[in-house]
Amino acid sequence: MRLDVLKVFLGPDGRGGNPLGIFLDAAAVPAPRRQEVAADLGFSETVFVTDATAARLRIHTPAVELPLAGHPLVGAAWLLAERGQASAVLRPPAGEVPTWFADGRTWISARPEWGPEFETRQLVGPEDVDRCGAVGPGERLQVWAWVDEPAGVLRTRVFPTAMGIVEDEATGSAALRLGAALGRPLTIRQGVGSELLVRPDVDGRVAVGGRVALVESRDYPL
């Protein structure tokens, strides 16, 4: 099968971005095999598009399946458009997720509670975030601090060890929850250089957007 590897939520200087694996033609891959493939690839998430026309897809971390996750949906929306199969709505198990493109970024809008929950801790400053070490197994921890509160710029790191990920480079679902909690537009700097833009949306939804780039396309033997 063809595997596309992207980086999602690239920073302004091209650094960062969370690696993502996507299979655009995965209808024939049974559910147990999808989880095995995601574990084998080792990306924080892998997307299996089961119906490209309807934009139906499944999302797996190396350890679990998720009903919704941010960077997989942003990446899938971008790749479907690149391959001439753009869809205004994506359909992960959680529900319908609108998507659009603006100013060189790909956006999705979703209800934050559709994604995984995180324990969130606000720290004093970005240097405190940077000093955080690895956490133990079974955690879904997000730490953050303001870089520039009036401008809505903050620094964050996410340690979702419960999902088989030691540290996530860019976490859209955590950004959705932070946007809902703070109730304002945000620019999130995460990982080694990723950037996520967050905007409160209508009906309790929150939008998250960022830059995407293709890393490689290759065959994956099933």
Side-chain angles (χ1 to χ4, degrees):
M1 293 186 64
R2 176 171 171 155
L3 169 68
D4 292 293
V5 181
L6 313 180
K7 281 194 172 183
V8 182
F9 297 127
L10 288 164
D13 58 0
R15 293 192 310 127
N18 202 353
L20 174 71
I22 302 183
F23 295 97
L24 283 183
D25 186 15
V29 184
R33 188 73 177 107
R34 291 197 293 262
Q35 189 60 67
E36 293 174 9
V37 171
D40 177 58
L41 289 172
F43 301 125
S44 57
E45 279 105 355
T46 300
V47 173
F48 299 84
V49 180
T50 57
D51 183 343
T53 301
R56 298 189 187 279
L57 53 85
R58 310 301 287 255
I59 303 165
H60 289 258
T61 78
V64 298
E65 182 177 5
L66 299 177
L68 180 138
H71 106 275
L73 293 178
V74 169
W78 182 89
L79 185 61
L80 285 166
E82 285 290 300
R83 297 289 157 77
Q85 297 174 290
S87 178
V89 177
L90 301 179
R91 294 178 173 87
E96 293 192 345
V97 176
T99 181
W100 65 97
F101 306 91
D103 300 324
R105 295 178 176 88
T106 305
W107 290 82
I108 64 163
S109 175
R111 301 193 67 85
E113 64 269 22
W114 286 357
E117 294 185 21
F118 295 87
E119 177 189 354
T120 300
R121 300 177 189 167
Q122 181 180 1
L123 305 182
V124 175
E127 65 279 358
D128 300 296
V129 174
D130 292 337
R131 281 196 292 264
C132 285
V135 303
E139 298 285 342
R140 291 179 180 175
L141 175 64
Q142 175 177 227
V143 295
W144 71 277
W146 289 113
V147 174
D148 183 342
E149 186 172 357
V153 181
L154 56 86
R155 169 79 170 126
T156 184
R157 291 172 70 190
V158 179
F159 304 93
T161 57
M163 295 185 285
I165 306 161
V166 175
E167 181 175 358
D168 212 16
E169 171 60 30
T171 314
S173 54
L176 293 175
R177 288 186 176 270
L178 202 54
L182 297 176
R184 57 176 293 186
L186 301 171
T187 298
I188 296 176
R189 298 173 181 170
Q190 185 176 339
V192 301
S194 300
E195 182 182 83
L196 303 84
L197 300 187
V198 175
R199 302 290 183 265
D201 209 346
V202 297
D203 301 328
R205 290 175 175 259
V206 176
V208 61
R211 297 181 177 87
V212 184
L214 178 68
V215 176
E216 64 170 339
S217 298
R218 56 183 168 90
D219 290 335
Y220 180 87
L222 286 174

